[in-house]
Amino acid sequence: MLDQARRLAAAIVSNSPGGVQLSKRALQANLEISSYAAALELENRGQALLTRTGDMPEALAAFKEKRQPVFTGA
């Protein structure tokens, strides 16, 4: 069980810090959102914000170069 938790934690921290933060906020907010449309709007807004971070070019470069990204949280 502890090994599974560690693998999950490693998978989470390998992502963009901003993406993880916005995902956590969306999960919390969606507990109170009453419609699917509102939940989608919240997710779309988060995605749009993340395209303006310094991690976005790194994500695209890593994908193109077929390597793991190195996110800085910028």
Side-chain angles (χ1 to χ4, degrees):
M1 186 79 131
L2 184 56
D3 287 339
Q4 288 176 325
R6 287 183 174 149
R7 283 193 299 274
L8 178 58
I12 291 170
V13 300
S14 71
N15 291 291
S16 158
V20 173
Q21 183 181 30
L22 285 177
S23 293
K24 287 171 60 176
R25 286 183 183 176
L27 287 169
Q28 291 171 339
N30 282 333
L31 293 173
E32 299 175 9
I33 290 178
S34 61
S35 73
Y36 182 67
L40 281 178
E41 176 60 29
L42 179 64
E43 180 64 24
N44 288 340
R45 189 174 307 137
Q47 292 294 323
L49 288 171
L50 290 172
T51 64
R52 297 177 182 177
T53 68
D55 281 339
M56 186 63 177
E58 170 59 13
L60 295 173
F63 180 78
K64 183 179 178 182
E65 297 165 10
K66 297 182 184 341
R67 63 172 173 80
Q68 289 296 314
V70 179
F71 295 118
T72 63

